[in-house]
Amino acid sequence: MKKRKQCQYLLLIYSLFIIYCMFFAFNRLSGIDTYRFQLIPNKWPLRFPHILSIWLFDLGNIVAFIPFGVLLPKAFRLNFKTFIVSFLLMISSLELLQALTKLGAFDVNDIVANTLGALIGYLIYQKSLNKRSMLVSLGIMLSSIIGIMMSSELGTHFFEQSPGDIQSLSNFNEQNQHLPQTNAFESLTVLTEEITPTLNLYSSEDEMKEFNYTFEKMKDVIFYANICIEDDSNKARMVRISINQDVVYEANPTTAMLEMIELPLPEVQEINIQISGDAKLWDVGLAQLKYRWE
């Protein structure tokens, strides 16, 4: 009975610490402007540390909830089913409260990661009931985290989409009969760099030109374009790219420039390009995201 009381006190103290981290730490009191809800998982819980800061954050989302897997069943003698339902209700309520108070977001990715941490804790609780060894607990925790990382890497490799071949925008029908150059390209020299287009070249020949493409809706695509000004002058130049009637890029440079844009888009049905002066665009195209087996 005494040990159960101790576990209950520890659980209360640790719960208050987690609540502080979720609602008050990390400059959360500055708040956000909108309610944010991520209801569909869109990332794997823990990949190998490609970017250390992101990896540490994802690791924290798992490790910080391991104690709940140990303390909850010890404090209240919960079986697995009751434990997991109780934890899911608790963490979902906290995530919802974060969103409603605009001190965070309701993020199902966090719920998945937090629950994995709690499951690791429950496994430690089960395996160490009759063993007072820190090595057993440490071994379970490390092997579980490594297993999650391996599963995330495999899942990323097989189930995340990657861009297919780039389709030249000039392959689609242009509405204004303004056609880009598609062969016999001359080299462009921009900021001492020599470039030769391979797909297409859009230029205005010192007047305003507008290229407008409409086609069947394409989903999950990446839009690519290279933009340049070849020399410094006070000549008026303008590049404006609109997709689905929303301006996604606009520039009015007066000096030489070279830029590549790569825009992920949930869907695209209309592309409009406006260009004037001696600005140029080249290798403008679309690549559809595909799974590895497609």
Side-chain angles (χ1 to χ4, degrees):
M1 188 67 180
K2 185 178 179 181
K3 286 187 177 181
R4 284 184 61 196
K5 281 289 184 185
Q6 290 175 342
C7 285
Q8 289 171 0
Y9 288 135
L10 284 173
L11 179 61
L12 175 62
I13 293 169
Y14 194 73
S15 297
L16 291 174
F17 168 72
I18 291 296
I19 290 170
Y20 170 78
C21 291
M22 292 181 69
F23 290 89
F24 304 104
F26 312 114
N27 200 31
R28 291 185 185 275
L29 287 178
S30 59
I32 54 179
D33 296 331
T34 58
Y35 299 108
R36 294 192 299 180
F37 291 86
Q38 178 64 48
L39 302 177
I40 300 174
N42 61 356
K43 70 173 188 177
W44 294 88
L46 184 65
R47 297 182 60 188
F48 286 109
H50 301 285
I51 301 175
L52 185 59
S53 58
I54 294 176
W55 183 81
L56 289 173
F57 179 81
D58 290 343
L59 179 66
N61 262 343
I62 294 174
V63 172
F65 289 83
I66 291 177
F68 285 104
V70 178
L71 294 174
L72 264 174
K74 273 191 174 183
F76 300 105
R77 294 183 180 176
L78 305 179
N79 58 31
F80 177 75
K81 183 178 179 180
T82 307
F83 158 73
I84 198 65
V85 169
S86 301
F87 181 81
L88 284 171
L89 288 173
M90 178 194 74
I91 195 61
S92 298
S93 299
L94 290 175
E95 287 283 323
L96 181 60
L97 191 58
Q98 268 191 319
L100 294 178
T101 57
K102 296 184 180 179
L103 296 175
F106 182 94
D107 192 340
V108 72
N109 296 304
D110 289 346
I111 293 176
V112 170
N114 301 160
T115 304
L116 284 172
L119 288 173
I120 293 172
Y122 190 85
L123 186 61
I124 291 171
Y125 162 71
Q126 287 292 314
K127 296 298 182 182
S128 58
L129 281 176
N130 299 315
K131 301 174 184 177
R132 299 178 180 274
S133 173
M134 290 293 293
L135 289 177
V136 173
S137 300
L138 185 62
I140 292 171
M141 185 174 69
L142 289 178
S143 59
S144 298
I145 289 172
I146 291 171
I148 292 170
M149 285 196 294
M150 292 178 66
S151 299
S152 293
E153 285 295 321
L154 288 171
T156 300
H157 182 77
F158 288 108
F159 297 106
E160 281 197 348
Q161 295 175 307
S162 57
D165 295 334
I166 297 176
Q167 300 180 62
S168 171
L169 191 60
S170 53
N171 290 341
F172 299 95
N173 291 326
E174 203 281 323
Q175 305 298 307
N176 298 328
Q177 304 302 313
H178 290 159
L179 302 178
Q181 186 178 343
T182 57
N183 53 46
F185 298 111
E186 293 183 0
S187 296
L188 309 173
T189 302
V190 188
L191 302 175
T192 71
E193 186 173 347
E194 192 169 289
I195 300 154
T196 303
T198 57
L199 296 177
N200 47 50
L201 175 64
Y202 292 79
S203 59
S204 64
E205 300 172 359
D206 290 332
E207 63 181 30
M208 169 68 77
K209 276 192 179 178
E210 184 172 348
F211 302 84
N212 194 53
Y213 296 87
T214 57
F215 36 82
E216 288 188 19
K217 186 183 294 184
M218 298 172 63
K219 292 188 175 182
D220 299 323
V221 298
I222 297 179
F223 174 81
Y224 296 94
N226 297 278
I227 303 163
C228 78
I229 302 296
E230 292 184 89
D231 57 58
D232 297 333
S233 73
N234 292 321
K235 186 183 298 184
R237 297 105 161 204
M238 188 272 289
V239 177
R240 181 183 293 123
I241 302 173
S242 301
I243 297 179
N244 301 334
Q245 300 184 352
D246 293 325
V247 176
V248 297
Y249 179 89
E250 186 169 10
N252 300 275
T254 57
T255 59
M257 62 160 282
L258 175 64
E259 187 173 1
M260 176 186 173
I261 61 174
E262 182 178 319
L263 301 173
L265 302 165
E267 63 180 47
V268 58
Q269 193 168 8
E270 181 180 348
I271 296 176
N272 179 273
I273 296 173
Q274 296 176 334
I275 184 169
S276 66
D278 58 359
K280 292 181 174 65
L281 285 78
W282 76 96
D283 292 349
V284 184
L286 299 168
Q288 199 150 19
L289 294 174
K290 297 181 178 181
Y291 294 104
R292 292 183 179 272
W293 58 80
E294 291 181 311

